[in-house]
Amino acid sequence: MINPITSRRDLVGRILFGLLSVSTLVAFVDGIGLASGAGPDTFYMQWWRTLAYLVFAAIFALLALRPRSTPLMWEIVLIQKATITIIGYLNITVAEAPRDATVDLYLVLVMVPAWILCRGWLSWKKESAPIDATDRSVVG
C-alpha cells in the first residue's frame, strides 16, 4: 500500500530536481551564446563551462527520474556544488565568483531538501525501495 504523504514528498523532491534540470538547460543555451562570442583567452573555458551545464542537466534529470537508483550520484553532485560554492566565496574578488558561487549555493539549497524528500540515501540499498506505509525510514 502506498503512503500518500511519502508519495507527495517524493514527487516534490523529483519536481525540484526536474526544475534544476530545466534551469541548467537554460544556462546551457545561454552559455552557447557566451562561449561562441568568447575571446581567445576565455574561449576554451567558456565552452568547458557550457558543456558542463549539459552534463549537470542530465545528472539532475537522472536524479529526478530515478532518485533511489543512482548510488553515489547524490553525494558526488552535492560535494561538487558545495565545494565550488565555498571556493567561489573564498575568491569573491574574482570576476564571476560572486554570481557563480551564489547560483551554486542556491543549487545546494534545493538539492538538500530534494535529497531528504526523495530519501536519496536509499540509493545505497541493493534494490530501489518502494514507497509504502511499511517503510520505517520515512520520518513524519
Side-chain angles (χ1 to χ4, degrees):
M1 178 175 195
I2 294 177
N3 181 337
I5 293 172
T6 305
S7 296
R8 260 179 284 167
R9 289 178 183 168
D10 187 68
L11 179 63
V12 170
R14 289 171 180 244
I15 288 170
L16 288 174
F17 259 95
L19 292 172
L20 287 178
S21 182
V22 169
S23 65
T24 306
L25 281 174
V26 170
F28 168 71
V29 171
D30 183 55
I32 291 173
L34 293 172
S36 297
D41 291 348
T42 60
F43 184 81
Y44 174 78
M45 194 56 158
Q46 286 295 341
W47 275 108
W48 180 84
R49 176 189 290 174
T50 297
L51 293 173
Y53 290 139
L54 192 58
V55 171
F56 274 96
I59 291 170
F60 294 153
L62 179 64
L63 288 170
L65 295 171
R66 301 182 58 131
R68 287 170 301 282
S69 299
T70 52
L72 195 61
M73 191 61 64
W74 288 95
E75 293 80 4
I76 290 170
V77 174
L78 279 168
I79 289 168
Q80 190 276 342
K81 289 299 172 193
T83 303
I84 203 67
T85 299
I86 292 166
I87 291 169
Y89 283 125
L90 289 175
N91 293 281
I92 205 77
T93 59
V94 174
E96 296 173 354
R99 182 198 67 205
D100 290 353
T102 301
V103 168
D104 283 326
L105 175 62
Y106 289 136
L107 291 175
V108 170
L109 293 175
V110 172
M111 284 190 295
V112 170
W115 177 76
I116 293 167
L117 291 166
C118 289
R119 299 176 299 148
W121 61 90
L122 293 178
S123 66
W124 287 93
K125 289 188 173 187
K126 225 167 193 12
E127 292 183 19
S128 180
I131 300 174
D132 62 39
T134 62
D135 188 352
R136 302 291 180 229
S137 66
V138 178
V139 179

